[in-house]
Amino acid sequence: MIFLKYRVLKLELNKDRDVERIHGNGVNTLDIEPVERRYMLSGGSDGVIALYDLENFSRNVHYTCKAICSVGRNHPDVHKYSVETVQWYPHDTGMFTSSSFDKTLKIWDTNTLQPADVFHFEGTVYSHHMSPVATKHCLIAVGTKGPKVQLCDLKSGSCSHILQGHRQEILAVSWSPRYEYILATASADSKVKLWDIRRASGCLITLDQHNGEKSKASSEAANTAHNGRVNGLCFTRDGLHLLTTGTDDRMRLWNSSNGENTLVNYGKVCNESRKGLKFTISHGCSPEFVFVPYGSTIAVYTVYSGELITMLRGHYNTVDCCVFQPNFQELYSGSRDCNILAWVPALREPLPDEDDEVVSHSQKNPAFQDAWSSGDEEG
Amino acid sequence: MSRKRPRLVPETFGAKRRRGPGWSGEEPPGVESGSVLRALRELGELFPRRLFQDALPPVALKSQVYSLVPDRTAADRQLRELREQGKIRVIQLGFDSDAQGIVFTEDFRTKALESCRGQPFEGTVQRFLAVVLPACGDLSFQQDQMIQTFGFRDCEITQLVNAGVLTVRDAGSWWLSVPGAGRFVKYFVKGRQAVLGMVRKSKYRELSLSELLGRRAPLSVRLGLPYHVHDLIGGQLLDIVPTTSGTLLRLPET
């Protein structure tokens, strides 16, 4: 799919597409369901969760993605504080999960918008993730203010596992899209650990930014992935590489099978987030692009070569999250200015005053139609 | 073709990059092998030898290399190759964990020997340069490494620290250093702040490159304006904005 990258290169704000504004406070998290890629969830700092339909069946060019339903402030089971992460159930849209600063993780039934189950924790929940490829387990990994990663089982309704190893709060968790038992966790203690949850004895690998060369930095920085809090994690779509971002203003690309730092240099990736940063990778393009919230803009880099392609400007305040819609190569981003913006590939507009530039055949005068040349150019 | 050609696909996947090109006449060398070596030689020309009475080897900073070679990953790779070949040494300058200085090994060796000529620790320094430098290409050395592998005694290590070839990093480990680096770091930090201040005080916090280079440098800038501008651009402390009237340097918003 070589041409898809050209669509990603032309992402821009389009006056004909926007998303209905529901949140009264910043939008912290967005997720698009993996089955049809049609419905999007958003969670905000006001505790509200909204569900949007992204498909345009209205036959108009101008389309606002409406919120079909939402868990608003007057819902009896709404989260008390800010919602940090929402995720659709990976196998269908009947269920979604949300975790919040009110120390709970709630499992919602989409059709009735009632919570089917609630998990309580001792500390605020920064992030949770459910494996997109898991068939043998239904575990949700939860990162909280405590240093232990909790794995909650949907089938039994209780926390089945605890992963010990980090020393400070867990800011991001992510399952590998390749192996259903591999989990990556990022913590404020500057470390990123890869776990195999079937192993009882501890983590598989702790990522080391210097790849074992102890001479590169001061000795306290041994075995750290970043020189600051690590607050963002994203696997590439094939699961072979992992991207991490940290408050040392760096983004690093790691080989997820042996934990080696590939030393791709993206330059300074400004990161002042005190909680998790949710960034995303494109899907299906070659080369792949990563979209990282950078202040009030979104920076677009090529994943494997580290080149900065562009900065998408449009938000008025810090951008907190972004998601990529792979079917149409669109990017949706949520920010503290309460808006969700849709970045759509710019189309080549047919010019109305030049007859030979009009693309569609039906509008062409048959007298201008080319009926005799060998037809290797499009008409 | 029509004169109102619709916007073409940006040619980012060719040689043109959206990030600012190298500035003021120094076209960024394409990232062939050897472009970093050329950049290091150019930066060596910029280094003011007379200021230090020729006692320091020309030090280039890694951020300056990024300014001349915009593809950072390729620049890192070439620097690693040069380090493995033993042609350059990387020095930790101390004021910023990111700021690393690069010197050519030959220059480093000659200047270090010159600086310790006639001093009591000359023999130790010579032994260090002859034995340790070729064997170990790292930035720092551990105590057991120095004592067991290379056979230095504690008092000899102290002599090396006094000579300026080693700097204390932790209990039992030392950074490699250049004799006389302290003065360089002092001038560098002051000069960097002064150049940033020049941009900060200007209206709209931006200056065109030609205007900045044409201004008289404040007294605290001893290493020269181009030297500092390369470092600020490569270290992303200043943003480059290409405009129709030349490159513009702007302080980043955050």
Side-chain angles (χ1 to χ4, degrees):
Chain A
M1 292 287 173
I2 288 285
F3 62 92
L4 288 181
K5 75 178 184 207
Y6 294 120
R7 285 175 62 82
V8 174
L9 287 176
K10 291 191 288 179
L11 279 179
E12 62 173 24
L13 284 178
N14 192 328
K15 61 175 169 47
D16 292 326
R17 174 79 68 91
D18 52 20
V19 180
E20 188 182 349
R21 183 170 156 155
I22 297 284
H23 290 280
N25 219 322
V27 179
N28 287 331
T29 174
L30 291 170
D31 189 42
I32 298 183
E33 44 104 1
V35 179
E36 258 189 296
R37 307 238 162 88
R38 179 177 166 178
Y39 296 104
M40 182 166 76
L41 275 175
S42 72
S45 294
D46 46 3
V48 168
I49 302 172
L51 210 160
Y52 306 86
D53 181 357
L54 300 178
E55 286 273 331
N56 180 4
F57 291 124
S58 70
R59 291 173 187 249
N60 288 336
V61 176
H62 180 88
Y63 174 64
T64 305
C65 301
K66 289 255 177 275
I68 304 176
C69 56
S70 69
V71 176
R73 292 306 312 167
N74 43 10
H75 192 290
D77 298 301
V78 68
H79 279 289
K80 286 204 193 58
Y81 300 126
S82 142
V83 173
E84 288 302 311
T85 318
V86 285
Q87 191 195 0
W88 284 102
Y89 181 59
H91 306 292
D92 62 56
T93 53
M95 207 159 76
F96 61 89
T97 51
S98 67
S99 64
S100 149
F101 268 13
D102 65 359
K103 308 182 189 180
T104 59
L105 165 72
K106 294 194 178 172
I107 321 286
W108 300 84
D109 177 332
T110 319
N111 292 312
T112 60
L113 269 196
Q114 299 294 326
D117 203 352
V118 182
F119 293 91
H120 295 273
F121 301 96
E122 279 157 14
T124 56
V125 182
Y126 282 109
S127 170
H128 78 267
H129 196 233
M130 194 163 162
S131 173
V133 296
T135 50
K136 300 217 180 67
H137 69 80
C138 329
L139 295 174
I140 307 182
V142 182
T144 68
K145 204 156 178 188
K148 299 186 195 166
V149 184
Q150 318 233 19
L151 295 178
C152 300
D153 188 4
L154 273 190
K155 276 212 205 107
S156 63
S158 63
C159 291
S160 62
H161 251 84
I162 292 188
L163 300 174
Q164 298 214 34
H166 282 293
R167 301 240 177 92
Q168 289 183 40
E169 49 196 17
I170 314 281
L171 293 172
V173 294
S174 182
W175 291 90
S176 160
R178 198 178 177 88
Y179 302 113
E180 55 178 325
Y181 295 111
I182 303 287
L183 173 69
T185 57
S187 161
D189 63 2
S190 315
K191 299 206 172 136
V192 174
K193 289 185 189 273
L194 284 173
W195 312 80
D196 182 335
I197 56 164
R198 295 168 298 187
R199 236 167 82 133
S201 57
C203 73
L204 279 182
I205 312 174
T206 305
L207 300 183
D208 181 8
Q209 56 176 312
H210 301 299
N211 283 338
E213 284 182 35
K214 296 221 175 31
S215 68
K216 280 279 182 59
S218 58
S219 3
E220 304 93 55
N223 252 3
T224 54
H226 283 267
N227 292 326
R229 300 149 69 94
V230 190
N231 54 14
L233 274 185
C234 188
F235 275 95
T236 52
R237 296 293 167 161
D238 53 13
L240 295 174
H241 288 93
L242 172 67
L243 275 167
T244 61
T245 55
T247 52
D248 58 347
D249 293 345
R250 296 277 175 266
M251 182 159 68
R252 299 193 207 273
L253 181 71
W254 309 83
N255 182 330
S256 58
S257 50
N258 58 11
E260 185 196 330
N261 184 353
T262 57
L263 297 174
V264 175
N265 192 332
Y266 299 94
K268 183 163 145 184
V269 183
C270 274
N271 186 341
E272 289 166 353
S273 175
R274 304 223 52 224
K275 21 178 214 182
L277 186 74
K278 296 174 170 54
F279 60 97
T280 185
I281 294 194
S282 67
H283 187 169
C285 311
S286 86
E288 299 283 359
F289 300 96
V290 56
F291 305 93
V292 187
Y294 189 123
S296 62
T297 67
I298 303 170
V300 184
Y301 297 91
T302 337
V303 175
Y304 299 109
S305 77
E307 185 187 340
L308 172 67
I309 305 290
T310 182
M311 312 270 276
L312 300 173
R313 283 172 215 279
H315 279 289
Y316 300 125
N317 206 329
T318 324
V319 180
D320 279 325
C321 54
C322 49
V323 281
F324 188 71
Q325 214 274 30
N327 290 355
F328 299 109
Q329 292 81 45
E330 293 166 351
L331 183 73
Y332 292 87
S333 58
S335 128
R336 238 173 267 178
D337 63 3
C338 320
N339 286 327
I340 300 175
L341 288 182
W343 307 84
V344 171
L347 298 173
R348 282 173 58 160
E349 300 277 348
L351 297 173
D353 52 331
E354 307 255 13
D355 280 327
D356 50 344
E357 282 277 308
V358 166
V359 178
S360 64
H361 284 269
S362 55
Q363 296 178 20
K364 242 181 162 181
N365 191 327
F368 290 99
Q369 242 178 25
D370 190 350
W372 50 269
S373 71
S374 59
D376 48 352
E377 291 173 16
E378 57 176 14
Chain B
M1 288 304 277
S2 74
R3 36 191 172 85
K4 283 194 232 152
R5 184 182 278 250
R7 192 160 63 92
L8 292 177
V9 169
E11 299 113 343
T12 329
F13 282 89
K16 243 209 285 181
R17 296 168 199 283
R18 286 246 187 111
R19 263 196 298 176
W23 47 276
S24 82
E26 287 151 300
E27 271 303 306
V31 205
E32 324 101 26
S33 57
S35 51
V36 168
L37 203 52
R38 250 177 294 136
L40 285 175
R41 286 197 220 282
E42 274 176 50
L43 293 167
E45 307 288 312
L46 281 179
F47 183 82
R49 290 179 182 234
R50 262 185 350 153
L51 185 60
F52 302 102
Q53 286 85 40
D54 217 15
L56 270 190
V59 181
L61 274 92
K62 204 146 79 144
S63 45
Q64 293 173 329
V65 176
Y66 291 145
S67 159
L68 287 173
V69 183
D71 184 351
R72 288 164 184 257
T73 316
D76 280 346
R77 203 182 334 122
Q78 290 186 23
L79 281 174
R80 251 196 320 277
E81 283 167 10
L82 287 172
R83 245 186 26 166
E84 275 156 25
Q85 292 166 6
K87 290 199 185 138
I88 58 173
R89 299 296 305 205
V90 182
I91 312 276
Q92 192 75 11
L93 289 173
F95 58 88
D96 193 354
S97 57
D98 273 342
Q100 291 175 339
I102 304 174
V103 284
F104 282 106
T105 322
E106 278 319 302
D107 293 335
F108 176 65
R109 203 190 295 265
T110 31
K111 296 297 180 197
L113 285 175
E114 269 176 32
S115 75
C116 69
R117 189 154 303 153
Q119 308 273 11
F121 39 73
E122 188 178 351
T124 326
V125 174
Q126 278 174 350
R127 216 178 62 170
F128 177 80
L129 291 175
V131 171
V132 181
L133 270 202
C136 181
D138 294 337
L139 282 82
S140 74
F141 307 98
Q142 306 292 325
Q143 183 169 27
D144 41 2
Q145 195 186 9
M146 291 288 279
I147 294 188
Q148 261 112 49
T149 331
F150 299 117
F152 281 89
R153 293 193 305 269
D154 270 337
C155 55
E156 291 178 326
I157 299 182
T158 323
Q159 285 183 338
L160 288 174
V161 175
N162 287 340
V165 179
L166 288 181
T167 316
V168 170
R169 165 188 167 189
D170 250 336
S173 68
W174 297 271
W175 296 114
L176 182 68
S177 168
V178 176
R183 252 196 329 161
F184 169 74
V185 171
K186 184 174 77 171
Y187 291 153
F188 183 81
V189 170
K190 284 222 176 85
R192 193 195 238 193
Q193 292 307 320
V195 177
L196 272 180
M198 282 167 79
V199 183
R200 204 175 295 134
K201 281 187 235 162
S202 62
K203 198 174 184 197
Y204 306 120
R205 290 153 70 94
E206 61 187 20
L207 269 184
S208 78
L209 184 62
S210 41
E211 155 99 41
L212 177 64
L213 292 178
R215 281 199 191 174
R216 212 178 43 175
L219 285 172
S220 33
V221 175
R222 311 283 283 267
L223 299 172
L225 277 174
Y227 193 84
H228 282 294
V229 172
H230 269 302
D231 161 62
L232 290 172
I233 292 175
Q236 292 180 293
L237 291 163
L238 279 180
D239 285 337
I240 272 210
V241 180
T243 62
T244 44
S245 42
T247 22
L248 195 66
L249 295 174
R250 184 184 284 162
L251 274 180
E253 281 122 52
T254 42

